[in-house]
Amino acid sequence: MSWRSRWWWGAALTAALAGAAYVLSLQEGAFFLGIDAAYAFCPGWEANMGAGAARGTVFDWVPLLWYAGLPGVVVAFLAHWICVRVRRPRVGTVVARVQAALMLVVYGTAPLAFAVDMGIDRDCLGMWSVADDPMFFLDTDIAPTLAALCVLAAVRTPRHRIRRLAASRRLRRGTAGLAVLGLLALLPAADLTKGPIAPLEACPVDDWTKVAMGEHAFLCGARSGGQFDGVSDHDLLAYGRAGCRAYRGRVEDAYLIAPICPRAAADVQAKLDAEDADFQAEEARNQRVCDASRHRPRITPVRVARDRTWTDYGVLESYEYDESTAQPPGEDDLLREAQENGLVAAGPGHLIILSHSDFDICLTLETYRRRPPLELKGWDHVVEVGYESTTGQVRLVNPMVGQNDLPNLAFRGKGRYRIRVHYRRPDLKAWTPQHILVMVYPGRARPLVEHRSRPVGLSD
């Protein structure tokens, strides 16, 4: 093996090793989609994205191309060196050239397409940029491309001047032919037009427990919020597939490309399954807490209803709209009155009960024909108010959600009632539910009575 060949082999191995090191450094890297040149004329970009699936198939099935082609360069070098030693140089040359050709097909087309775009329209630089990195789609291709060219130079057989000139002419003609064939192979994937942007109707309903798959789901997710408005469906799908190829296992980067990227979808689904399992476990734990702490009435109630519920803003409310007596919601200043005592306030046809918005509520509703005994033990805050039902329908609801299955508290129809509300705060460390007990019985008294004041530091 000549010194010239050794130098070229050294350069090829160095370039491949540098490329492999860079690829390994990306294992924890992030990937962010962003297109800055939606209206540039970039046939190289479209051709490169269109041919990406074919190149990806070759890459997946040829392990010698992995890690920037380093394994293939090492195999080619050993084959060439061994064949030279056993006086079979042609075999080693063929092996090296085949490996170099594969590397140029997989890694060399992107730099070629980039050069074409830069020669046509400099605005295409934005199409090749991701996360403010204008060389994102070329970073992993440059080193293996250089390594492949060095391999070809290393196995080139030196001849005398005439043969060298003849070989040079043949090489130039062959290179030109390969370039033309390569462009012709890429052109069918790029029709040199931006392509249509189909209206997205009937997008999949968002289900946080399952990943929606398919190109339509990807386009719906990518275009949500007005993003990628000027990008054709073809280009956007190509961009998403490029993101799939660049995906390095960070779930934060996987949500957008998951519908068209099985690896990302698997990671996202695993995370969703884990979150769903945690949610179900918390739901079961909270239900056990509510079941274990049921109130035992001291006298027989007319009706008892129990529910584990929640609120958006810490308000349970019942509103009976009667044009003759009631004001529209929010105009009777009842919320301010409830905030003064921290628990409950009532007006004609309107009842508000406050709670902590971050915790589930173990809610118990009891109706009585007569005044029940006062119970303070085990409760942090107990307040009783007078209430006038204007329609005979008193149903507590979360005002942000609406109707639920809780019973009507006005069991005797329209008229006056007393409503006693008991509150037990949640365990902030164990994150257990809070408890609310509501006792309702007929009574004409109006004044608010605070049987047990809210302790200092109680969060409502």
Side-chain angles (χ1 to χ4, degrees):
M1 186 183 297
S2 65
W3 279 105
R4 180 195 60 81
S5 181
R6 293 176 184 177
W7 279 110
W8 281 118
W9 276 116
L13 290 168
T14 300
L17 184 61
Y22 180 72
V23 169
L24 291 174
S25 71
L26 294 177
Q27 293 301 316
E28 297 299 329
F31 179 82
F32 302 96
L33 291 176
I35 295 181
D36 300 325
Y39 300 99
F41 176 66
C42 311
W45 161 260
E46 295 191 6
N48 183 59
M49 292 296 100
R55 293 201 312 271
T57 301
V58 175
F59 179 85
D60 291 340
W61 284 91
V62 183
L64 293 178
L65 297 175
W66 297 352
Y67 300 105
L70 178 61
V73 173
V74 172
V75 170
F77 168 72
L78 293 175
H80 184 254
W81 178 71
I82 292 173
C83 290
V84 169
R85 294 294 298 267
V86 299
R87 300 183 183 278
R88 299 286 184 180
R90 185 177 297 274
V91 176
T93 299
V94 170
V95 172
R97 286 176 176 171
V98 169
Q99 173 62 26
L102 288 174
M103 292 176 65
L104 288 175
V105 168
V106 173
Y107 294 107
T109 50
L112 176 61
F114 178 76
V116 171
D117 280 351
M118 292 299 99
I120 295 176
D121 190 342
R122 291 299 179 90
D123 288 339
C124 289
L125 184 62
M127 293 292 289
W128 294 83
S129 301
V130 172
D132 298 327
D133 180 5
M135 299 296 289
F136 178 85
F137 289 98
L138 303 179
D139 284 344
T140 57
D141 293 336
I142 293 176
T145 300
L146 292 176
L149 295 175
C150 289
V151 169
L152 292 177
V155 298
R156 186 174 65 88
T157 304
R159 302 176 184 278
H160 57 77
R161 182 179 179 82
I162 297 177
R163 292 185 178 180
R164 180 180 300 171
L165 291 176
S168 178
R169 287 194 295 269
R170 289 195 298 271
L171 178 62
R172 288 197 296 270
R173 288 196 296 268
T175 303
L178 287 174
V180 172
L181 289 175
L183 288 175
L184 290 175
L186 294 175
L187 282 177
D191 57 7
L192 305 185
T193 62
K194 293 196 173 300
I197 300 178
L200 294 178
E201 300 177 353
C203 285
V205 178
D206 186 18
D207 182 358
W208 71 275
T209 64
K210 186 177 181 181
V211 179
M213 298 297 293
E215 294 181 352
H216 183 70
F218 168 75
L219 293 173
C220 284
R223 296 194 191 282
S224 63
Q227 303 179 49
F228 303 104
D229 285 342
V231 184
S232 70
D233 293 349
H234 171 78
D235 287 344
L236 188 52
L237 285 169
Y239 212 72
R241 293 189 180 101
C244 182
R245 292 193 296 274
Y247 177 63
R248 305 296 177 186
R250 282 173 50 94
V251 179
E252 294 82 356
D253 308 326
Y255 286 94
L256 181 60
I257 60 175
I260 57 173
C261 185
R263 290 184 299 134
D267 290 344
V268 172
Q269 190 60 58
K271 184 175 179 61
L272 293 180
D273 290 343
E275 291 175 349
D276 185 48
D278 291 341
F279 175 77
Q280 296 298 335
E282 183 178 356
E283 289 283 287
R285 183 201 65 181
N286 289 347
Q287 188 62 52
R288 288 194 299 270
V289 171
C290 291
D291 292 340
S293 55
R294 289 187 174 186
H295 176 249
R296 293 175 175 80
R298 295 184 180 179
I299 62 174
T300 303
V302 175
R303 184 173 183 180
V304 177
R306 299 182 180 89
D307 188 28
R308 182 172 56 85
T309 186
W310 55 275
T311 63
D312 289 275
Y313 298 102
V315 174
L316 285 172
E317 187 173 22
S318 173
Y319 191 83
E320 305 175 76
Y321 185 70
D322 184 345
E323 293 182 358
S324 63
T325 58
Q327 295 176 302
E331 296 185 9
D332 55 9
D333 207 21
L334 207 60
L335 179 60
R336 181 188 59 80
E337 294 181 23
Q339 290 171 340
E340 288 180 356
N341 66 72
L343 186 56
V344 61
H350 194 188
L351 173 67
I352 286 181
I353 298 176
L354 302 183
S355 63
H356 198 302
S357 59
D358 294 336
F359 294 83
D360 282 2
I361 303 172
C362 297
L363 179 63
T364 303
L365 305 177
E366 298 176 352
T367 55
Y368 295 87
R369 299 190 185 280
R370 62 185 179 88
R371 183 179 186 275
L374 181 62
E375 299 181 36
L376 300 179
K377 184 178 180 181
W379 298 101
D380 298 309
H381 197 189
V382 181
V383 180
E384 187 171 329
V385 295
Y387 179 78
E388 180 182 354
S389 175
T390 58
T391 67
Q393 292 292 322
V394 182
R395 298 180 184 273
L396 286 172
V397 299
N398 176 357
M400 299 302 295
V401 176
Q403 190 64 40
N404 55 30
D405 296 329
L406 294 178
N408 177 22
L409 298 181
F411 64 98
R412 295 181 62 176
K414 295 189 294 184
R416 296 184 182 278
Y417 296 85
R418 294 291 290 175
I419 298 179
R420 188 185 303 161
V421 181
H422 309 67
Y423 179 81
R424 183 185 307 128
R425 71 178 117 185
D427 186 332
L428 300 181
K429 293 183 179 179
W431 207 261
T432 56
Q434 57 199 321
H435 294 74
I436 293 179
L437 168 63
V438 180
M439 294 180 172
V440 181
Y441 63 95
R444 302 189 61 84
R446 288 177 177 270
L448 179 148
V449 180
E450 196 164 0
H451 296 291
R452 171 163 287 182
S453 300
R454 172 177 47 175
V456 176
L458 178 63
S459 299
D460 343 289

